[in-house]
């Protein structure tokens, strides 16, 4: 008889199964790969913040992205529309709303905005494209933000902040 | 690469790539901050499969494309690996990003995708990201200007 213990352990760590995550991840990688195959560009999601700020600010920090800001808009609109296509076909038809409190989203967002720019990338730039490039900088970046995020999330949960 | 040299399919290809990328973020439920926070609290390890699954796909393509194609299909630029220089900013910025990610469960790509699945509340996070990116750019410009002034004075 097959020991069911490993399967039970797996179910405990993956209450929503694995296929949803693995298939979604393959699509994320495929999207980045198509852009790379066509253009040679490693598309990160967070540079859109700076490239869009170049419309309203003359700071040289942002102006360096003027030449790429049009296609970064197209990439971002594609991400929004792609998620909408999922939601309208296999999802819950645009009915999802997060319960995480607005102050957590806003303060977290500010720190994400600062951190990805100081740290040269985010979960897509470092996590998908950088690790795909076997970049040591990206692997260190991913390890750093993963470990810190785990620590912070545990502390926030321990303090009873929910949702 | 100037705009005039762009291939007519450049923008359509970026759009298709973004669509598939966003579809994947929606499908994997990474557009839901709750699911990311569940991962960070060790309640659901699914995110590992999203990030490493995606990185394995790009890893294979990043390895094979330069060898099989030589140059990108639509542009004359070279295939470049995404190798950014390492310095202490990677650790400092990564840590700040980690605090924000751990507090909110939201990162840039997932936030755009969250808007796509109907989550209007995520605009708080997006507004925060623009504020943070602007503040960082402002402070960094002042520091750089200060450095330049010091250097020229020397």
């Amino acid at each position: 008889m097959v020991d069911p213990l490993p399967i039970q352990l797996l179910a405990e760590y993956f209450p929503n199964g694995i296929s949803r995550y693995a298939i979604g991840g393959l699509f994320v990688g495929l999207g980045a790969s198509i852009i790379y195959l066509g253009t040679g560009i490693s598309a990160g999601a967070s540079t859109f913040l700076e490239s869009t700020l170049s419309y309203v600010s003359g700071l040289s920090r942002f102006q360096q992205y003027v030449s790429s800001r049009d296609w970064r808009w197209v990439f971002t609109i594609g991400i929004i529309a792609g998620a909408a296509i999922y939601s309208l076909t296999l999802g819950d038809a645009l009915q999802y709303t997060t319960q995480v409190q607005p102050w957590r989203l806003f303060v977290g967002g500010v720190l994400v905005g600062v951190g990805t720019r100081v740290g040269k990338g985010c979960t897509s730039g470092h996590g998908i494209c950088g690790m795909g490039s076997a970049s040591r900088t990206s692997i260190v970046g991913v390890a750093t933000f993963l470990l810190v995020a785990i620590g912070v999330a545990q502390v926030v949960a321990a303090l009873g902040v929910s949702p | 690469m100037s705009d005039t040299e762009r291939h007519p399919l450049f923008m359509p290809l970026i759009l298709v790539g973004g669509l598939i990328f966003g579809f994947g973020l929606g499908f994997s439920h990474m557009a839901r901050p709750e699911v990311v926070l569940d991962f960070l609290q060790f309640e659901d390890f699914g995110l590992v499969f999203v990030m490493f699954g995606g990185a394995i796909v790009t890893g294979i393509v990043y390895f094979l494309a330069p060898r099989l194609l030589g140059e990108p299909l639509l542009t004359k630029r070279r295939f470049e690996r995404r190798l950014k220089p390492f310095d202490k900013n990677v650790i400092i910025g990564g840590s700040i990003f980690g605090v924000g990610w751990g507090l909110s469960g939201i990162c840039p790509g997932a936030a755009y995708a969250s808007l796509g699945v109907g989550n209007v509340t995520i605009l708080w996070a997006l507004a925060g990201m623009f504020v943070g990116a602007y503040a960082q750019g402002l402070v960094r410009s002042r520091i750089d200007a200060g450095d330049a002034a010091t250097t020229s004075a020397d």
Side-chain angles (χ1 to χ4, degrees):
Chain A
M1 197 177 141
V2 181
D3 183 2
L5 189 64
I7 297 164
Q8 282 172 2
L9 280 174
L10 214 59
E12 191 181 330
Y13 293 124
F14 297 95
N16 297 303
I18 290 173
S19 61
R20 168 204 283 177
Y21 300 109
I23 293 168
L26 294 182
F27 273 101
V28 171
L30 189 64
S33 295
I34 285 173
I35 291 172
Y36 187 72
L37 282 170
T39 67
I41 294 171
S42 289
S46 54
T47 310
F48 171 72
L49 301 170
E50 281 173 310
S51 69
T52 303
L53 284 166
S54 72
Y55 290 102
V56 294
S57 167
L59 282 179
S60 60
R61 289 285 301 174
F62 306 133
Q63 291 301 311
Q64 61 179 310
Y65 297 108
V66 164
S67 63
S68 71
R69 65 188 182 183
D70 57 349
W71 73 254
R72 290 185 191 280
W73 261 111
V74 173
F75 180 52
T76 300
I77 288 168
I79 292 174
I80 297 170
I85 290 169
Y86 157 76
S87 186
L88 290 169
T89 54
L90 305 173
D92 55 7
L94 312 181
Q95 293 301 304
Y96 171 74
T97 305
T98 184
Q99 298 304 312
V100 175
Q101 302 172 64
W103 74 267
R104 290 179 74 177
L105 297 174
F106 183 76
V107 176
V110 172
L111 293 168
V112 166
V114 173
T116 60
R117 301 302 72 215
V118 174
K120 308 176 187 184
C122 61
T123 26
S124 54
H126 278 323
I128 302 294
C129 294
M131 289 205 299
S133 301
S135 157
R136 283 187 193 174
T137 299
S138 290
I139 291 166
V140 172
V142 169
T144 304
F145 61 64
L146 262 181
L147 291 173
V148 172
I150 287 168
V152 169
Q154 303 271 356
V155 168
V156 169
L159 291 172
V161 180
S162 175
Chain B
M1 183 179 57
S2 71
D3 286 336
T4 50
E5 292 170 23
R6 274 188 187 161
H7 194 282
L9 290 176
F10 179 87
M11 286 300 188
L13 180 112
I14 297 276
L15 181 64
V16 169
L19 284 170
I20 296 170
F21 194 96
F23 184 90
L25 286 172
F27 190 94
S28 62
H29 283 194
M30 291 299 108
R32 303 183 171 209
E34 284 88 344
V35 177
V36 175
L37 291 172
D38 280 349
F39 164 76
L40 297 172
Q41 293 165 21
F42 300 146
E43 287 164 14
D44 182 349
F45 285 89
L47 186 145
V48 171
F49 277 85
V50 182
M51 193 185 284
F52 289 91
I56 287 167
V57 173
T58 54
I60 292 168
V61 172
Y62 276 54
F63 179 81
L64 291 178
R67 290 163 176 79
L68 299 180
L69 290 176
E71 65 183 26
L73 297 169
L74 303 184
T75 66
K76 294 296 174 194
R77 67 159 76 195
R78 290 189 305 124
F79 278 120
E80 285 172 5
R81 289 165 69 207
R82 188 183 183 282
L83 302 175
K84 298 205 170 179
F86 180 81
D87 54 42
K88 67 180 191 303
N89 282 334
V90 176
I91 303 285
I92 296 168
S95 299
I96 298 170
F97 173 38
V99 174
W101 199 32
L103 181 64
S104 65
I106 270 297
C107 57
Y112 313 151
S114 200
L115 205 55
V117 296
N119 185 16
V120 182
T121 314
I122 211 66
L123 289 170
W124 284 104
L126 282 165
M129 285 178 203
F130 277 107
V131 169
Y134 182 73
Q136 194 271 339
L138 200 63
V139 171
R140 188 58 190 266
S141 295
R142 296 226 171 119
I143 292 171
D144 289 349
D147 285 348
T150 318
T151 313
S152 59
D154 292 339

